Amino acid sequence: MDSAGLRELLTFYADAGVDEPLLDEAPDRFQETRAEAEKRAAQRQQPTPQKPVATTQPRSTAAAAVRAAVPDDAQAARAREIARSAESLDALRDMLSNFDGCNLKTTAKNTVFADGNPQASVMFVGEAPGRDEDIQGLPFVGRSGKLLDRMLAAIGLDRTSVYISNVIPWRPPGNRDPSPLETEICRPFIERHIELVAPKVLVTLGNPSTKLLLNTQTGIMRMRGNWAMHNTPSGLDIPTMPTLHPAYLLRNPAHKKLAWQDFLQIKLKLESAG
Ligand code: URA
């Protein structure tokens, strides 16, 4: 294949979300013998190991991705114990950077912790970093982040007056949905994160963070626009406004008026909270 063809193929892969090599050598599936294909299929039939194959390897080669920790309940319990012990945001950030119990970390370029002002009265929590966030190591810096900035500006806020984070600190490969177990492993970190910031008002952006932080199965369309309470593990109750995710609004601009209503409520709440 010539270089133009290769470029086209890579662009096709990137558009499809395939933007991480998993092996150092690219396998040539066209050259694969029938026997090799059958062997590979048989390996896929093997039961998933019950115990985590936690890697202590640094992410120095792409091959580390295939040795990723298999998430399990033990990792979730470990995450709870570690997160609970964080006494400051810096400590929590360090713990998250050193945590090796979530397989999402092996394919991510950065741990995306937070952006904005940790002293702010209002904290926004999204779902997970996308490509731009993974590259820059900051939440909401891509297209949906730009929209979020405009929505904040509409109620007189910016990144010096709000604090922003995500439920999941590592970009899921190809922007796939995080699995329930991956979310469960990350949950203690975002819960402790909220507890340490202790904002007067919390805003959940979209379905995943709303369901997780408000402990509900009710969808965002019914939850949004209504104040609810996030209860932290150590007993803080934080008024929370669930609203539509900016990425959803980019796909459904007609719903921006609903988000505007929610943002006006956030503005009023912050004014009355002083
Ligand atoms: N979507 C999210 O939920 N979070 C980000 O940081 C970016 C996009």
Side-chain angles (χ1 to χ4, degrees):
M1 194 180 293
D2 62 10
S3 62
L6 271 176
R7 205 169 305 117
E8 221 171 273
L9 182 62
L10 283 174
T11 307
F12 170 80
Y13 282 153
D15 288 348
V18 184
D19 57 4
E20 291 287 343
L22 290 180
L23 300 169
D24 288 333
E25 295 288 326
D28 185 347
R29 302 281 183 228
F30 296 106
Q31 292 299 320
E32 199 170 49
T33 64
R34 188 189 172 90
E36 283 166 341
E38 281 169 359
K39 191 167 150 210
R40 210 154 47 81
Q43 278 165 356
R44 279 202 299 269
Q45 301 295 322
Q46 298 289 319
T48 316
Q50 291 306 299
K51 289 281 160 215
V53 192
T55 176
T56 52
Q57 304 272 356
R59 193 177 171 264
S60 53
T61 68
V66 292
R67 295 194 294 272
V70 175
D72 74 357
D73 292 336
Q75 297 300 342
R78 213 176 123 230
R80 279 195 291 280
E81 200 178 312
I82 293 172
R84 205 181 304 134
S85 71
E87 294 295 342
S88 68
L89 287 175
D90 284 344
L92 186 70
R93 184 196 286 263
D94 285 350
M95 284 170 185
L96 208 45
S97 301
N98 293 324
F99 184 68
D100 63 2
C102 184
N103 54 314
L104 293 177
K105 193 177 189 180
T106 40
T107 48
K109 291 185 175 58
N110 276 301
T111 299
V112 178
F113 187 67
D115 194 19
N117 181 355
Q119 315 292 331
S121 302
V122 56
M123 176 170 179
F124 290 76
V125 181
E127 182 184 10
R131 186 168 184 276
D132 296 316
E133 290 75 20
D134 185 37
I135 291 169
Q136 294 189 40
L138 289 170
F140 284 99
V141 290
R143 272 187 77 219
S144 48
K146 302 273 178 295
L147 176 57
L148 180 61
D149 286 342
R150 290 201 296 278
M151 292 158 75
L152 293 174
I155 55 167
L157 298 174
D158 62 21
R159 290 192 188 221
T160 65
S161 51
V162 305
Y163 189 70
I164 306 175
S165 188
N166 281 308
V167 166
I168 308 281
W170 301 289
R171 180 197 181 198
N175 295 345
R176 68 162 169 78
D177 288 342
S179 73
L181 205 41
E182 287 160 353
T183 304
E184 214 39 49
I185 290 170
C186 296
R187 173 205 283 267
F189 291 106
I190 186 62
E191 286 182 343
R192 185 69 185 141
H193 203 151
I194 295 169
E195 207 156 51
L196 287 168
V197 174
K200 289 181 181 154
V201 171
L202 184 66
V203 180
T204 52
L205 296 166
N207 243 325
S209 64
T210 299
K211 286 186 171 171
L212 190 84
L213 299 174
L214 294 178
N215 208 9
T216 179
Q217 283 311 308
T218 307
I220 186 66
M221 277 307 180
R222 291 188 55 198
M223 293 296 291
R224 63 141 289 277
N226 300 301
W227 287 103
M229 210 53 100
H230 169 68
N231 315 114
T232 72
S234 69
L236 280 181
D237 293 333
I238 305 177
T240 301
M241 173 56 69
T243 190
L244 301 171
H245 194 289
Y248 171 84
L249 295 173
L250 286 172
R251 294 191 302 272
N252 301 276
H255 283 167
K256 282 185 185 166
K257 62 175 183 289
L258 300 177
W260 172 236
Q261 289 163 10
D262 303 345
F263 269 59
L264 286 178
Q265 290 209 61
I266 295 164
K267 183 177 175 353
L268 285 176
K269 186 71 133 193
L270 287 171
E271 282 165 2
S272 66

